[in-house]
Amino acid sequence: MTVLAPAPHRKRRTAPRARWAAGRVLIYAALAFWAFVCLFPIYWTVTTSFKSAVDVTQGHLIPWVDFQPDWKGFRSLGLSPDTILQTSTARAEFTSRFTNSVLASVGASLLALVLGSLAAYGLSRFRYKFAWMRNDDILFFFMSQLILPPVVLALPFLVLYKALALLDTTFGLILLYTLTVLPIVIWIMRDQFNSIPIELDEAAFVDGLSVWGAFLRIILPLAVPGMAAAFILSLVLCWNEYFFAALLTSTDAKTLPVMVASQTGSQGINWWSMAALSTAAIAPLVLVGIFLERYIVSGLTTGAGK
Amino acid sequence: MNQQEHDQHSLTRPNRRTVLKGAASAAALGTTGALGAFSNIALAQGNLRAQILQIPGIGKGAPTDADWQKVGELCLGPTKANVKEGEFKGVELSFMGLNNQNLHNLLFRGFLKPWEAYTGAKISWIDLAQADYNPRLQQAIATGTVDFDILEMGAPFEGDVCGKGLASEMPDWVKKQVDIDDYVDYLKPPVGTWNGKTYRITIDGDCHNFNYRTDVFSDATLAKAWKDAGNASEWGVPKTWQQVQAVTKFLKGKKIKGKDVYGYLDAPKPWGGFGFYFLGSRATAYAKHPDDKAWLFDVDTMKPRINNPAWVRAIQDVVDALPSEPADQLNADPNTTGFQQFLAGIGSMIPWWGDIGQVAKASDTSVIGDVVGFDILPGSDDVYNAKTGKWDKLASGPNHAPNCAYLGWGIYVMARVNGDEKKHKAAWSAAAHVGGKDLSLWTVMYPSGFQVHRTSHSNIDEWVAAGYDRKYITSYLNSQFSSYNHPNRAVEPRIPGIFQYYSIAEDELTKIFAGKVDAQTGANNIAAAWEKLTDQIGREKQIGLYKASLGV
Amino acid sequence: MQDSSPVAAGRQDNVASKRTTPTHRTFGRGFLILASLVLVAVLLAQILHATGTIDTGFADWRPVLYAYLFWSIALGVEQVMVRGQRGLRALFLLPAVLFTLAVVIFPTLFGFYIASLDWNLSSLEGPHFNGLNNLIALFQDDYYWNALGNMVFYTVSVLGEYVIAFGLALLLNAEIRGRKFFRVVFLLPMMLSPVAVSWMIGKSLLEYRFGPVATLARDLGWDNPAFFAHPWIARFSIDAMDAWVWIPFVMIILLAGLQAMPKEVLEAAKVDGANGWQSFRHVTFPIMLPVSITVLIIRIIFKLKLADIVINVTAGGPGGATDTVSSFIYRVYRDRSNVGYGTGLAIFYLLLIVVFLMVLLRLSSRWAQKVA
């Protein structure tokens, strides 16, 4: 360990403020720039839902300055102030699909979180051996579920779900979505558990807790940041899943992404409807993100092991 | 073009109460069979058609749910003649169709709500996006998961559905209710039939027409520049593809009213198979000889003609024209050329289905409503004779061969209702209501996704009375009906897997258009791939089906 | 990989051996055997019923599903009863494994079967066995190899995303004001659905004539900002859109990892006189290595499945420049209903990726040991 010499110490008293300030400016500039990059397309989507055809094709940017906002986009969905009290097929479609999307996404994410956290804890703490497969192989098995492009599972799943009478059911979708996000949950949670020192487990055993007791009461609360991250990611992936939703649902379990894709067709593109739908589709995710954001903030895993 | 004489009795605009009273009483008289009521029925029908066309009125904004339901309610007459009130109580039907920009199925829901209320049946809906439609249908058929009773389908897929016995044959009462003889010639059998049985209620007619900008071709500055460039002919709308090419090259770099102007717009990017039609529109004038029924494959062997000199010339035309088109044209699919470019004011000539004409005035996506004109597809000074292998110059002048592409949407009923008599009648009644004669007039006038398909749609006075500009609608309807009834029209082959041929061709064509391979080699590659596909599907059967689809 | 330390394990085993008695063990095993018999019986009955051999049976295969559930529970019980403490440990992993196996086993086997067929859904003759012909056709397929070449480019670009995401994660981890705001905002791109991204960004924002980005490009001097007309520009544009969507994903995982990092190590480094870059290179980065590898592997897997944006924006063009294997398989499978060949393409791709990932994992774990 080097001992600080007094001279550099003196030098630092005058320079650091300026350097610190310059660093701060750079940091905030970078943050602002990236925030702009993130927000602009979303701003564009939201404003497009208030545009009419001419405004869209001319690329007008700022409402009230470049163009007059109009409820057109939301009217086509039956969600504008003037249509909200009338019957609207489009709105009925939207609400039923929205509900189904919520059920399928939340259901699948929760199920994946439960199954995945358990498996991840096991893979993190214990050495398994099944036939020739050790922990790494088991992990690889889970990961390989992610790799196959969904399109080739289309026919097999159609046949399977027909046999199990799971076609057009939200439950069927939940099972499928859980399968697709489970590997991600396992990997994220495994890393999370790996970062929690084993001493905590041992301390719990000393206190007389069983393996499951230690897991549920001591370790799990510390893994909340990872769980929040895994939950948000699973939710987003399930919410926007398009392919299997288009294939396996008909009337009861249909979800939102297909309706968004339907806004283009043989008579052009209804930019305003698509933008309105996209805005409505992203809104709940944003709310979930805002709500869960503070759980990703840790502060709980620092200074562990006392 | 057929001009149906139509009696417009009313000089005063009838209000809804009198019309409904008239319609109700006429229907009542009709069911009792009183002979003297027939002229009343005619009067009521005429008024009915004028009545529904005012909902909500051309240029008065896009129709809403309530409008669809009103129209459906008013057109319930033919159903009421065949079905008792509440007759289908307890029957549940499922309807699979498109949701294209909140049209198609959403319209049908509106139309069928009054039908459901009257008959007591209940309909559940399966909406698909256009891109998912074909795969879903194919996979449902292959795995036996056909879970719908009524289907909205395009004619090209009849081979896959009717050929496998999955559709229910149309009963005679339905043929009468929808007035099946009213369909235009090219939509009559063999279209909609399979092995002599009729399966299809036509709700849409499809062909490519030629859309152009009247202001560009009447511009004095451009006319002068054209003459100055040494052209002997007058500046005007091209009538042959040779002229289209010349005009496109000429217009590169020119301006009209300060804005860049372009000529013909090609659609080089794949669009799920539909993009191939746009090459087809360029090629039929070269490849469809008046003495030959076939233009895509040889009749007796299914040998592809895609690499014969006619098609290669069309492909080469595209390659030659692309440098004169907008810089990002390589990434333009037909959706882009039609709606993002042409209707937004870019480009002065494109082929498209009748949607452009339907939408240019009645919908809000367009900014060129007042300066667009219509014609049948351009012809060609010479046409390729596949039998002799030579280019012929016809004595009658340039060869025209309108491309009747896709043939249009229809309603089919699935065979799975055949076991249950009540369900069978209910399904056909619903289909017949949606395919009704008067209802169809409304759908072709308003944004619905459907174009003119009946002879009774060609009455220009009705269109003008609804609010269309006479000159505009005459030009539009002329282009449509002249294509439908043209003696040398090129009609879409309804063989199984036709879209697979198109999809394979699209892939190879992008390579040609991007300059990675020359036209002839690329076309040979397409031909080889098509041969493989024909063998995979079953060559002998394909030959038989191709012949049947051509009416040979 | 962590395991219970020998001392703790020993203590637990003592506890465990006290718990499993012979009665427990026999009960556990008996229960499992019973459940297995039930499962086999139901399965056999349904198979016989489906093939028409016997009349009695169920309308669908749901009972098999329930029997499997019952069997899974029995297995769990048996593990705990027979192996005691070790059974309790196995119980953590069992639910996930059994679930995955159940959902995946039939489709995978059926998929392999389809891959061996020549099956065009429009074919009037139905599927027929094709042996290795699909494989031979695959090797001669220009489009497939072109797409594989493109995937190399797309995969390499993941490193760029990683760098940006790590930078963002570091920024968010620092002492800044408005942290909550920035965190939420940076998460937003991931939430937009691929369809919306393709249309709103690819076709609207990047639109040649009036899209804001094109207008900006013209202001910066690029006269003809055609983002998708030239092969390499098209590749970068597609990649940029995909990166925009997925950088939040990488960032959030890295951020969770940074949050979990013990602060004392950094404090110690600062006390030692390390500046920002040095403490990053020698402290933060090595500690974050396992998480980085995890996130890179997952990101690469998702990148290799890229299809939606390509299909909607360029359809693989211009001239196949942006085509991905997944979007090509989409075309073969959906537009051409050539399901046998399409499944074959996908399975070959799966094997390629598996090999690639195994190599990657081995290299990275070796490198991680060197650095750590």
Side-chain angles (χ1 to χ4, degrees):
Chain A
M1 204 172 85
T2 58
V3 177
L4 294 170
H9 194 75
R10 228 184 292 135
K11 237 190 257 172
R12 281 214 219 132
R13 232 188 291 139
T14 48
R17 283 242 103 184
R19 223 185 312 141
W20 180 88
R24 289 269 113 189
V25 166
L26 273 175
I27 290 181
Y28 280 108
L31 285 171
F33 172 69
W34 192 257
F36 177 73
V37 169
C38 287
L39 280 179
F40 186 68
I42 300 188
Y43 164 78
W44 180 254
T45 305
V46 175
T47 50
T48 302
S49 54
F50 293 107
K51 287 184 188 167
S52 64
V54 188
D55 301 324
V56 175
T57 50
Q58 300 296 314
H60 293 148
L61 270 181
I62 309 173
W64 288 290
V65 171
D66 284 335
F67 68 95
Q68 263 306 110
D70 186 74
W71 281 107
K72 203 173 154 66
F74 288 99
R75 191 176 303 130
S76 74
L77 290 178
L79 288 171
S80 65
D82 45 318
T83 53
I84 198 130
L85 292 172
Q86 306 167 357
T87 38
S88 159
T89 314
R91 188 180 59 240
E93 272 301 300
F94 174 72
T95 34
S96 96
R97 284 172 186 262
F98 188 87
T99 323
N100 287 333
S101 276
V102 169
L103 287 173
S105 308
V106 173
S109 304
L110 286 177
L111 185 58
L113 202 58
V114 168
L115 293 176
S117 304
L118 292 178
Y121 183 74
L123 286 168
S124 160
R125 294 298 192 243
F126 314 126
R127 270 192 229 120
Y128 291 109
K129 188 165 173 298
F130 178 73
W132 81 97
M133 291 178 81
R134 301 190 174 277
N135 282 33
D136 275 340
D137 303 309
I138 299 176
L139 266 170
F140 201 82
F141 164 71
F142 281 120
M143 193 181 66
S144 58
Q145 305 314 319
L146 269 182
I147 303 178
L148 204 60
V151 68
V152 296
L153 296 176
L155 271 183
F157 264 104
L158 206 49
V159 172
L160 177 68
Y161 271 31
K162 175 165 179 267
L164 291 176
L166 282 176
L167 275 179
D168 200 24
T169 57
T170 313
F171 183 61
L173 270 189
I174 289 181
L175 288 181
L176 193 51
Y177 287 174
T178 307
L179 177 72
T180 49
V181 296
L182 188 62
I184 301 177
V185 174
I186 292 180
W187 277 71
I188 294 178
M189 292 310 292
R190 187 187 71 111
D191 282 332
Q192 180 82 66
F193 287 128
N194 275 351
S195 70
I196 297 177
I198 190 76
E199 290 79 25
L200 286 174
D201 290 51
E202 290 169 10
F205 297 146
V206 168
D207 285 347
L209 289 171
S210 70
V211 143
W212 275 81
F215 171 69
L216 288 170
R217 295 226 215 122
I218 311 289
I219 307 298
L220 203 55
L222 293 176
V224 169
M227 282 173 53
F231 184 77
I232 295 186
L233 290 175
S234 308
L235 194 67
V236 171
L237 285 172
C238 296
W239 184 263
N240 288 328
E241 201 282 330
Y242 178 83
F243 178 72
F244 281 115
L247 180 70
L248 298 172
T249 66
S250 302
T251 24
D252 296 324
K254 50 194 176 180
T255 56
L256 216 42
V258 179
M259 196 176 181
V260 179
S262 296
Q263 297 313 308
T264 101
S266 58
Q267 300 225 309
I269 314 143
N270 282 4
W271 292 109
W272 42 92
S273 308
M274 180 180 273
L277 261 178
S278 304
T279 312
I282 193 181
L285 293 179
V286 173
L287 290 173
V288 170
I290 294 178
F291 176 67
L292 281 182
E293 185 269 334
R294 70 179 124 119
Y295 291 104
I296 309 185
V297 175
S298 135
L300 300 162
T301 58
T302 56
K306 291 305 180 298
Chain B
M1 188 180 83
N2 286 339
Q3 283 269 7
Q4 238 182 327
E5 295 311 310
H6 189 84
D7 246 341
Q8 286 273 24
H9 289 274
S10 53
L11 289 166
T12 60
R13 191 111 284 168
N15 71 34
R16 195 163 304 166
R17 213 177 306 141
T18 56
V19 169
L20 277 180
K21 260 200 342 205
S25 57
L29 286 172
T31 53
T32 61
L35 277 170
F38 280 172
S39 59
N40 282 354
I41 293 175
L43 164 63
Q45 287 299 88
N47 289 348
L48 174 67
R49 282 161 84 88
Q51 179 63 31
I52 59 176
L53 295 179
Q54 294 305 314
I55 308 172
I58 302 291
K60 300 223 174 69
T64 64
D65 251 295
D67 295 326
W68 300 330
Q69 290 181 38
K70 261 183 244 153
V71 174
E73 172 88 51
L74 288 172
C75 292
L76 218 43
T79 305
K80 291 187 177 159
N82 284 322
V83 175
K84 293 190 281 292
E85 181 153 9
E87 183 173 336
F88 303 135
K89 213 173 174 81
V91 175
E92 288 188 14
L93 298 168
S94 62
F95 193 124
M96 178 157 111
L98 289 191
N99 173 358
N100 250 0
Q101 299 157 280
N102 299 333
L103 297 173
H104 286 256
N105 260 16
L106 265 66
L107 247 79
F108 296 155
R109 276 175 172 78
F111 294 150
L112 281 168
K113 259 212 176 72
W115 181 89
E116 286 179 270
Y118 175 76
T119 63
K122 211 177 134 355
I123 303 184
S124 59
W125 297 89
I126 304 175
D127 303 332
L128 298 173
Q130 178 135 10
D132 297 320
Y133 182 81
N134 186 23
R136 171 78 181 247
L137 188 62
Q138 297 287 0
Q139 284 161 6
I141 296 173
T143 54
T145 44
V146 172
D147 54 351
F148 42 91
D149 302 303
I150 312 176
L151 178 66
E152 178 204 8
M153 185 172 80
F157 304 112
E158 278 173 8
D160 296 299
V161 171
C162 306
K164 297 212 171 102
L166 291 166
S168 159
E169 189 184 350
M170 185 188 295
D172 285 333
W173 63 269
V174 172
K175 290 186 188 166
K176 275 202 216 84
Q177 183 175 331
V178 301
D179 195 355
I180 205 166
D181 293 318
D182 188 32
Y183 297 156
V184 289
D185 278 338
Y186 94 102
L187 288 173
K188 290 210 172 103
V191 174
T193 67
W194 197 259
N195 279 341
K197 303 202 186 117
T198 308
Y199 292 99
R200 167 187 164 102
I201 296 181
T202 299
I203 56 173
D204 181 26
D206 270 339
C207 78
H208 271 198
N209 65 348
F210 190 61
N211 307 272
Y212 60 88
R213 290 273 296 277
T214 50
D215 57 343
V216 170
F217 290 105
S218 56
D219 187 71
T221 338
L222 288 175
K224 188 167 174 307
W226 175 255
K227 278 285 167 112
D228 290 343
N231 293 292
S233 56
E234 287 300 315
W235 174 246
V237 183
K239 294 272 186 255
T240 66
W241 288 106
Q242 287 83 358
Q243 290 172 359
V244 168
Q245 292 291 98
V247 166
T248 306
K249 291 200 184 109
F250 164 74
L251 281 175
K252 182 177 161 88
K254 301 279 185 303
K255 284 194 192 296
I256 178 171
K257 295 197 189 74
K259 287 177 61 173
D260 283 328
V261 64
Y262 295 95
Y264 185 83
L265 292 177
D266 281 298
K269 194 170 87 164
W271 200 34
F274 287 86
F276 183 80
Y277 289 125
F278 289 78
L279 177 68
S281 290
R282 265 188 181 274
T284 49
Y286 297 149
K288 173 87 176 62
H289 198 284
D291 298 333
D292 195 347
K293 285 209 167 197
W295 51 284
L296 198 55
F297 297 96
D298 281 341
V299 176
D300 295 310
T301 58
M302 278 291 285
K303 178 167 166 309
R305 290 196 184 172
I306 186 74
N307 55 344
N308 75 0
W311 281 91
V312 173
R313 186 200 271 190
I315 297 176
Q316 190 60 45
D317 278 352
V318 178
V319 174
D320 292 336
L322 274 174
S324 310
E325 300 180 24
D328 61 340
Q329 203 60 23
L330 268 184
N331 195 42
D333 60 19
N335 208 337
T336 312
T337 57
F339 300 99
Q340 276 186 292
Q341 293 184 311
F342 189 73
L343 283 182
I346 318 284
S348 50
M349 300 176 273
I350 55 164
W352 235 91
W353 286 281
D355 302 84
I356 297 287
Q358 201 185 36
V359 161
K361 280 231 191 210
S363 169
D364 346 63
T365 351
S366 138
V367 301
I368 54 158
D370 295 324
V371 291
V372 58
F374 310 96
D375 203 353
I376 66 171
L377 286 175
S380 166
D381 292 326
D382 51 359
V383 59
Y384 184 72
N385 189 327
K387 296 196 188 86
T388 64
K390 290 208 197 43
W391 289 91
D392 292 342
K393 263 194 161 56
L394 299 176
S396 48
N399 178 46
H400 289 263
N403 185 10
C404 291
Y406 197 67
L407 294 174
W409 297 97
I411 307 280
Y412 303 76
V413 174
M414 306 313 285
R416 77 176 199 162
V417 305
N418 281 346
D420 180 340
E421 202 190 310
K422 200 157 92 155
K423 202 166 182 183
H424 179 261
K425 188 168 181 203
W428 275 111
S429 172
H433 174 69
V434 167
K437 188 170 172 178
D438 301 318
L439 192 64
S440 72
L441 186 63
W442 191 93
T443 58
V444 300
M445 284 207 195
Y446 283 93
S448 63
F450 307 126
Q451 272 76 56
V452 293
H453 51 278
R454 286 168 176 267
T455 320
S456 61
H457 292 160
S458 60
N459 183 352
I460 296 200
D461 293 327
E462 273 185 326
W463 291 76
V464 174
Y468 273 88
D469 171 66
R470 182 171 284 271
K471 200 166 128 230
Y472 179 89
I473 200 62
T474 312
S475 167
Y476 174 67
L477 287 179
N478 266 339
S479 75
Q480 296 285 94
F481 284 99
S482 305
S483 306
Y484 291 161
N485 299 322
H486 199 280
N488 192 29
R489 56 185 183 262
V491 177
E492 160 105 62
R494 294 169 302 129
I495 53 179
I498 184 66
F499 262 81
Q500 299 179 32
Y501 291 95
Y502 296 162
S503 168
I504 292 176
E506 275 184 336
D507 255 2
E508 197 62 42
L509 285 169
T510 56
K511 293 213 286 207
I512 302 175
F513 297 148
K516 292 177 95 171
V517 70
D518 70 280
Q520 184 66 58
T521 322
N524 290 341
N525 292 344
I526 302 177
W530 281 13
E531 291 275 49
K532 256 179 69 187
L533 182 59
T534 307
D535 286 327
Q536 192 186 30
I537 296 183
R539 185 171 290 265
E540 286 310 313
K541 293 219 184 90
Q542 282 288 65
I543 294 177
L545 296 171
Y546 186 55
K547 284 189 175 156
S549 76
L550 290 177
V552 174
Chain C
M1 212 59 50
Q2 306 216 353
D3 191 7
S4 26
S5 69
V7 177
R11 210 177 297 142
Q12 287 171 40
D13 279 341
N14 287 339
V15 173
S17 57
K18 267 194 228 151
R19 285 211 214 127
T20 58
T21 62
T23 341
H24 276 158
R25 282 200 284 272
T26 5
F27 173 73
R29 282 201 200 100
F31 191 29
L32 181 62
I33 293 175
L34 171 69
S36 311
L37 285 174
V38 169
L39 178 60
V40 171
V42 173
L43 196 55
L44 260 170
Q46 196 58 22
I47 292 177
L48 290 176
H49 176 75
T51 53
T53 327
I54 56 173
D55 278 334
T56 48
F58 309 98
D60 54 49
W61 292 67
R62 277 274 187 100
V64 177
L65 186 65
Y66 300 142
Y68 181 78
L69 262 167
F70 179 55
W71 180 84
S72 311
I73 297 175
L75 181 64
V77 167
E78 185 256 357
Q79 286 289 305
V80 175
M81 293 274 158
V82 170
R83 298 174 61 209
Q85 193 64 16
R86 273 197 226 110
L88 281 176
R89 286 188 230 149
L91 215 50
F92 279 101
L93 193 57
L94 271 182
V97 170
L98 289 173
F99 173 80
T100 309
L101 274 178
V103 183
V104 138
I105 192 163
F106 171 74
T108 315
L109 290 177
F110 193 32
F112 271 95
Y113 168 64
I114 296 180
S116 68
L117 297 175
D118 173 23
W119 191 5
N120 184 320
L121 292 182
S122 288
S123 163
L124 304 154
E125 290 149 20
H128 40 266
F129 186 67
N130 208 12
L132 287 175
N133 285 348
N134 281 347
L135 194 60
I136 298 173
L138 183 156
F139 277 102
Q140 296 171 333
D141 195 333
D142 288 332
Y143 290 96
Y144 191 67
W145 293 98
N146 169 54
L148 276 175
N150 288 341
M151 295 321 291
V152 174
F153 164 73
Y154 287 128
T155 312
V156 169
S157 70
V158 168
L159 288 174
E161 294 175 28
Y162 171 71
V163 169
I164 298 178
F166 209 135
L168 291 173
L170 285 173
L171 284 176
L172 286 183
N173 199 35
E175 292 297 319
I176 51 167
R177 293 220 226 122
R179 185 187 283 165
K180 188 184 176 84
F181 168 76
F182 282 114
R183 268 185 236 241
V184 176
V185 164
F186 289 3
L187 265 186
L188 286 184
M190 195 175 59
M191 299 179 178
L192 213 50
S193 79
V195 177
V197 170
S198 321
W199 288 90
M200 290 284 112
I201 302 183
K203 294 215 171 186
S204 185
L205 262 186
L206 293 174
E207 199 255 330
Y208 173 68
R209 247 162 315 281
F210 296 114
V213 181
T215 321
L216 181 68
R218 286 208 182 87
D219 289 341
L220 292 176
W222 183 10
D223 278 332
N224 276 333
F227 293 104
F228 301 105
H230 182 270
W232 276 105
I233 300 181
R235 287 194 187 109
F236 272 106
S237 309
I238 296 281
D239 200 57
M241 284 195 279
D242 192 50
W244 183 83
V245 171
W246 283 90
I247 284 181
F249 173 86
V250 181
M251 181 195 81
I252 195 179
I253 297 183
L254 289 174
L255 184 61
L258 281 174
Q259 298 279 335
M261 210 170 60
K263 296 263 172 30
E264 312 91 57
V265 196
L266 272 176
E267 308 278 340
K270 224 185 272 185
V271 168
D272 277 354
N275 65 18
W277 171 248
Q278 282 170 332
S279 72
F280 172 76
R281 191 162 167 269
H282 294 284
V283 180
T284 313
F285 187 67
I287 295 184
M288 288 291 288
L289 212 45
V291 183
S292 300
I293 293 174
T294 306
V295 80
L296 275 175
I297 302 267
I298 298 185
R299 177 69 191 104
I300 288 180
I301 294 179
F302 276 105
K303 190 75 170 197
L304 290 170
K305 290 202 295 187
L306 174 65
D308 285 332
I309 298 181
V310 172
I311 294 173
N312 283 319
V313 180
T314 60
T322 55
D323 209 9
T324 63
V325 176
S326 228
S327 72
F328 175 58
I329 295 179
Y330 251 90
R331 288 206 299 282
V332 172
Y333 198 91
R334 279 162 54 97
D335 291 341
R336 297 173 206 167
S337 299
N338 201 358
V339 299
Y341 183 55
T343 314
L345 289 174
I347 290 187
F348 185 78
Y349 190 47
L350 166 71
L351 294 174
L352 275 181
I353 298 179
V354 165
V355 168
F356 171 62
L357 284 177
M358 290 205 308
V359 169
L360 207 60
L361 274 173
R362 206 137 298 170
L363 284 177
S364 60
S365 62
R366 213 178 295 162
W367 184 50
Q369 282 167 355
K370 253 203 295 172
V371 174

